[in-house]
Amino acid sequence: MTSPGIPASPDPGVAASSDARDAVARAKAANLDLVRFLYADHGGVIRGKAVATRFLPERIASGIGHTVAMMAMTMLDTLEPVEGMGPVGEVRIKPDPATFVELPYAPGAGAMLADLVRPDGEPWQACARTFLKHAIAELAADGYAMSAAFEPEFTLGRREADPAGGPDRLVPSDDSLCYSATGFHQNHDYVMEAVRALNAQGLQVEHYYPELGQGQQEIPIRYAGALRAADNHVLYRETVRGVAIRRGQWASLAPKPIPGQAGNGSHLHASLSSLADGTPVFADAADQYGLSPAGYRFIGGLLAHLPALLALTCGSVNSYRRLQPQFWSSAYTVYGMDNREAAVRICSPLRGDATSSVNLEFKPSDSSANPYLALGGFIYAGLDGIRRGLSPGEAVNVDPATMTQPQRDAAGARRLPLTLTEALDALAADSLLMDALGPLRSAAYLAVKRAEAAAFAEHDAGWECFQHFLRF
Ligand code: GLU
Ligand code: MG
């Protein structure tokens, strides 16, 4: 979509891509005043800066200047000492114009997802979106492309001050039963606004249902290519919160915003296809679960790297309050056929679409993670399984919490890390993921996350849940 007469760039020397020209034309046609350039940091927080529309062409070309230190910032806005991320040094928040959207919940504003690049325009070694691009390139080198979807749950409610002066509470929007029709009634106006806002940004809403926890909602989005899936998840997080805040409500995707209530997962669904001819790589009609050898090996890689991978997919202190046995969030290193207590679930194919609908669901994943690091780490782990031919062992088709310890030992069912610190220790010891992250990104990530673990260790569950429902 281009509008004639709108200059693509004020500088004729800067050749704008057609995506850039389209983004500028759409921003002007919609009379936007500001366009947000958004990225996700090591604390999992979405941050950014906005540009006035009249300067959009040049800022698409150059990015907006930003301090390197922001990738050393925790979710509590404390700056951690990381070599190369101090007060000296500059990166640019450089938007990807192909991701331009108008923001239905923020009249007058649009947004784009951004990379963090060096002033010379080269990728910065701590950019999370670049990490996912590298992971996708590794897949492509072996002839694969990934389709993926984050499947986020969130809690809708309102913030209420504590009369005793403690942290605010999140009061849920419904007290309905799981999937109950009453839950549809109690949340209808909010949900309709959120669904329309998601669809208007090109995220394809597939379903809606009120889930188990009080106020818990699930609005799953159609799968997309891996980079788009992570971009979509950022837009999704922004939308469910933005719509709520404008309505005087509060929506939280935190893993456990309310102690004692069901947790909010963001299960990762993924499948591979052949780059050569588009055929599904995970499907094999002859197998008892419909899964191909490459599919089993991908699971083998996920299970082998699971404790370390968790540091990326379950990235907050609050994540580990969710990962409990018998909460359908997964708590053991097992996989199974349609087993919702397994870390990896082989999803039964849809009737009429038996091959292309085969996909894996990775349960220990939530929306406090940086989605680019989470999906990138997931790809590196699974691909390692394919490359090294790792066997995942036998499928476990019972709830592992109901097995005896000797049965779990025989099945290789280990308990997932109980704390963020345990997962970080596993990450630091995982050479594949540490090499993939690279020295600057891994040092900053570990420093940020270890600082968060130390900070929350000084406080009780109420403060932890409050801080997480504020940020996520
Ligand atoms: N709320 C669960 C979780 O924390 C998931 C429930 C479901 O299977 O949808 O992951
Ligand atoms: Mg669910």
Side-chain angles (χ1 to χ4, degrees), residues 151 153 179 209 211-212 216 218 255 262-267 322-323 327-330 340 345 361 363-365:
E151 188 184 51
E153 296 163 331
Y179 306 124
Y209 26 87
E211 270 220 293
L212 177 64
Q216 192 178 52
E218 184 166 327
N264 292 318
S266 188
H267 309 158
R322 165 181 166 253
L323 294 175
F327 275 82
W328 293 30
S329 59
S330 80
R340 287 180 168 78
R345 166 185 163 215
E361 178 183 39
K363 305 272 280 186
S365 164

Side-chain angles (χ1 to χ4, degrees), residues 8-9 11-16 57 61:
S9 162
D11 176 0
V14 178

Side-chain angles (χ1 to χ4, degrees), residues 39 41-42 47 66-88 124 444 447-449 451-452:
Y39 69 95
D41 74 3
H42 281 147
R47 303 188 191 246
H66 203 44
T67 163
V68 288
M70 286 308 293
M71 286 307 268
M73 196 75 120
T74 67
M75 64 166 279
L76 296 167
D77 257 5
T78 58
L79 194 53
E80 297 310 315
V82 175
E83 175 103 40
M85 290 187 186
V88 181
W124 186 43
V448 163
K449 290 295 161 188
E452 289 177 3

